[in-house]
Amino acid sequence: MGDFFNIAFGIHGEELTWWQMSVRAVVVFFVALIILRIGNHRIFGKNSAFDIVLGIIYGSILSRAITGNSPFIPTLVAALVLVLLHKGLAIVAYHSSFGFGDFIKGERVKLIEDGDLMRDALKKNSVTENDLEEALRKSGTEADLSKIKSAYLERSGKISVIMKDDND
């Protein structure tokens, strides 16, 4: 059985064949799915810097397992450790009240208040009026900044907009 494993995955070979890389790719695909299920659904859903960093490193590590640039099993274990670290930090951030969550996941930034642009916040975060108008169009509302009650640059980098009531 050990010989089959060594031959199929090219464990002790110097150069992987196309079919060994293919076998590794199939295994890595399913192992990656299992690891993500162990982790957290938010990993690739929220797109905060916290999540994006994990996604980049996770993909990089797993690609090394497929191409044979790193040992196969230790590389898969490293991917699991990263996902568990992400999950653990997310749990700590959720339960912390001392700003750890804001440090890990970022903070929202107010860009508009009662139709007035917060120019310092816009400049600091490189957000233009065109970006705000695009966010309005995406939300299906008229691109009139004066009708905005408030707008925020969210932790994910998206802009959310709250429109004024007709009474305002």
Side-chain angles (χ1 to χ4, degrees):
M1 185 68 167
D3 287 339
F4 172 76
F5 186 77
N6 290 337
I7 292 170
F9 291 95
I11 299 300
H12 298 297
E14 293 217 3
E15 211 171 293
L16 295 175
T17 65
W18 67 268
W19 60 269
Q20 287 169 327
M21 282 181 105
S22 298
V23 169
R24 283 175 171 235
V26 169
V27 170
V28 167
F29 176 81
F30 286 108
V31 169
L33 285 176
I34 292 167
I35 290 172
L36 287 177
R37 293 287 181 224
I38 290 169
N40 193 321
H41 285 74
R42 69 165 278 126
I43 291 173
F44 293 106
K46 298 291 183 181
N47 293 327
S48 67
F50 175 60
D51 304 321
I52 292 169
V53 166
L54 173 71
I56 292 168
I57 296 171
Y58 188 68
S60 176
I61 286 176
L62 291 177
S63 72
R64 296 179 70 78
I66 293 171
T67 60
N69 291 338
S70 295
F72 190 68
I73 299 298
T75 303
L76 296 179
V77 172
L80 174 63
V81 168
L82 273 176
V83 169
L84 293 176
L85 174 66
H86 182 272
K87 185 175 185 174
L89 289 174
I91 290 168
V92 171
Y94 177 80
H95 292 290
S96 72
S97 59
F98 56 89
F100 184 71
D102 290 340
F103 173 71
I104 292 291
K105 299 177 186 178
E107 296 181 80
R108 70 177 185 180
V109 177
K110 187 176 267 191
L111 302 174
I112 297 178
E113 185 170 13
D114 291 324
D116 295 325
L117 295 174
M118 314 285 284
R119 297 227 179 255
D120 288 341
L122 291 169
K123 184 177 181 179
K124 182 178 178 184
N125 293 282
S126 302
V127 177
T128 65
E129 286 186 47
N130 287 337
D131 296 330
L132 292 169
E133 290 169 355
E134 179 182 347
L136 283 169
R137 290 190 299 273
K138 284 183 175 179
S139 69
T141 58
E142 182 182 343
D144 183 356
L145 299 179
S146 66
K147 295 183 179 182
I148 297 175
K149 180 176 182 177
S150 58
Y152 295 91
L153 178 62
E154 301 294 347
R155 300 183 315 183
S156 65
K158 295 181 180 174
I159 298 172
S160 62
V161 177
I162 301 169
M163 300 304 290
K164 290 181 180 179
D165 291 334
D166 290 336
N167 300 335
D168 290 342

